[in-house]
Amino acid sequence: MPSASIEHSRGVAGCFERRNGSLGSRSSRHAREQDAPRLLRIRNASGLFTACVLLASALPAGSASRREQPPVAPGPHRDALIPATGASAGPHSARGAPLLPQALPSISNGVIALCVAQPRHCAAAVTAGMLVLGVTGLAAATWPASRMTGAVSPVSPVQRLDRLEEEIERIELHGPDNAGTALLQIARDCGGEPQCRAERINALLETLPQATIAHLQELVAPIGEASASAQAAMAPWPGGADATPLLGDSPLLALAEALAMIYTPEAAAFQDDMETIVASTSSDTAAGASPGQRWIEANSRRQQVIAGLLQRDAGHVEWLPYAARGLGPLGMEDPSPAFNLRIRMPPAPGTAPARRLLLVAHGDMIGLSRGSHGAYDNASGVATLLHVARQLAAEAPLAGTQVDLLVTSNEELGLLGANAYITQCRECDDCPTMVINIDLVGRGGHSYVLSGSEALAASPYLGRAPMFLQAPTTSDTERREALAFERHFAANGFTRAVPGTALLMTSDNVAFQNASIPCIGIAQVSAVDAEAWVRLDTARMDWLACDVQVDWSRHEALRNGQLQLPADEVAELERRYHAADQAWQRLQALRADHPLAPPVLVHGANDRLHRVSAPMGVAFADALLDVVRHRRRDTPTRPPAATDTSHA
């Protein structure tokens, strides 16, 4: 029972304290007791219980125990839509009514009815009522509320916002746009003007069917208020089409402010960055060019555009040249001239920071001929860097950690850009002390995966093609950073999708981890997609383990009749071949069953711009920004070694 109900019951009990000598002589008291209704006799504990139950039964069920979660306060750069109204700005979490207040009237009514019908058995009825009430209280304290009342499990405010955005993206408007696109345009047009956004969002809501409005309000309002909200939404618009319900005490205010919190000017800027990058890659290439040449031209245009965006938001861009080798089989010049892009954020004046944090995202893409936009992989990661750069550029530099941004090239061809950067920084004794690699942002809501060196240590690529990795050193620095990362992301409403699972991200983080430079790989992935990712990764490793057991040259020679082997060797070779083939078939079946899981979503037609959510990307970027700001304020103790080589 909630504490408020306990205090109320104590107050009721206090009203029935027995007062000695206040009712006259014993004989007169006895005469009055004979004439009074026997139900209200309060001579012992059972009578006291009956009176308390009687009064408590008159209370509205659950009135003292129903509580709501506080509304979501507008976060950074998410101003309240109309602060002057004083209305709640965010959604509430759902809670079902507790069992005990619901059961109390029924128990008390049963006790009262039996006492009236059989006064002599009232004491027994009271005892039975107390027993039933105790069992009910125990059940209410130990059973899930959703099981007892049929209510859904509590939903956090950030989960409600994620669900609201998912529903908004499904609403089609007249023309090619959906409701999410229209709300982003409102954010672009109005910027930080709350009145403008209020009127424009109001006008957009008026165009939606009333049933759709009711459904959206149910996602925002608590479960207990959902039906009232739906009825209010189904009512005619007050004052006709020209009215502005958002400016008053409108039931649509909570919905409109939730939409304003999601579709911000920052989200519009994130979307614009992704669209600009994708458009540059999709431009026409020269007719008759080889696939390798088309790939080079497309990614060269993409890199030029990214450099321009970095210059716009963060200042001077360094073009770091290197020679990309091993591209001859792809029809490219070998070696090919290539570049990474680096931004060094201005440090605080005075002593140079002892620590350097490097934020990395690869800018190249692959799969253009198969319909890929390279949006999720990895225009979203570059847009995240741009968002962080804009915020940091607007702040005064603080002592602590120097922040650099790096956009690598040729990640898709074997982490060539990241490996070249590592070679260069080692030659100059200028390597970062901590690296965060961002790859895949804008899907999965407030959920993410984190990949460190401990995941790489179990990679099947150690010492084998195509990466020929070395066993990494897991540093204390990386472990501390991973814990801090989880703490700051949790403070921003994010949870790890598969906690405790060493999920391997085969992105640029692998190059840094392989060089024993502390690095964390991060991606925004839903729990469902992450679990599919784990299954796919496990199936891929199983296939690789089987594949390496097959002597494919001997198997091919045997099939072509060019090799004669004893029967037992033929049987063993065929057994290994069939094991590898079955493992491959299992992997392909999993890929077909999970077409939108991260390992399958990228490099093909599934990686399209409309599958990436700019608001989700901004929420992720803000959480990352919190990590960066914390490090910038962290006072360094002493200059660390160039690389952390402490062993796990």
Side-chain angles (χ1 to χ4, degrees), residues 236-291:
W237 287 89
D242 295 332
T244 309
L246 297 179
L247 302 182
D249 188 17
S250 167
L252 288 177
L253 182 59
L255 172 59
E257 291 207 1
L259 294 177
M261 291 173 63
I262 296 172
Y263 295 92
T264 61
E266 290 76 22
F270 194 100
Q271 179 72 19
D272 291 343
D273 290 340
M274 288 195 299
E275 290 181 359
T276 301
I277 295 170
V278 168
S280 69
T281 314
S282 303
S283 301
D284 295 334
T285 57
S290 66

Side-chain angles (χ1 to χ4, degrees), residues 116 171-172 469:
V116 172
I171 299 175
E172 298 294 333
L469 300 172

Side-chain angles (χ1 to χ4, degrees), residues 17 46 94 169 215 242 262 265 363 367 383 386 425 430 516 545 579 621 648:
E17 295 177 350
S46 62
E169 297 294 333
H215 175 61
D242 295 332
I262 296 172
L386 291 167
C425 79
D430 190 32
S516 293

Side-chain angles (χ1 to χ4, degrees), residues 167 189 265 301 385:
E167 292 299 321
D189 296 342
R301 291 192 304 270
L385 287 189

Side-chain angles (χ1 to χ4, degrees), residues 130-171:
M130 294 176 67
L131 177 62
V132 173
L133 190 60
V135 172
T136 305
L138 178 63
T142 57
W143 286 22
S146 59
R147 186 173 178 182
M148 300 297 296
T149 65
V152 298
S153 300
V155 180
S156 69
V158 292
Q159 288 175 321
R160 287 184 176 276
L161 291 175
D162 288 345
R163 292 182 183 180
L164 177 62
E165 189 209 340
E166 290 172 359
E167 292 299 321
I168 286 291
E169 297 294 333
R170 295 189 180 101
I171 299 175

Side-chain angles (χ1 to χ4, degrees), residues 604-630:
N606 283 327
D607 188 358
R608 311 286 287 182
L609 188 60
H610 73 273
R611 294 191 185 278
V612 181
S613 165
M616 287 184 184
V618 168
F620 179 91
D622 282 338
L624 177 61
L625 187 63
D626 189 25
V627 174
V628 175
R629 284 171 171 155
H630 173 76

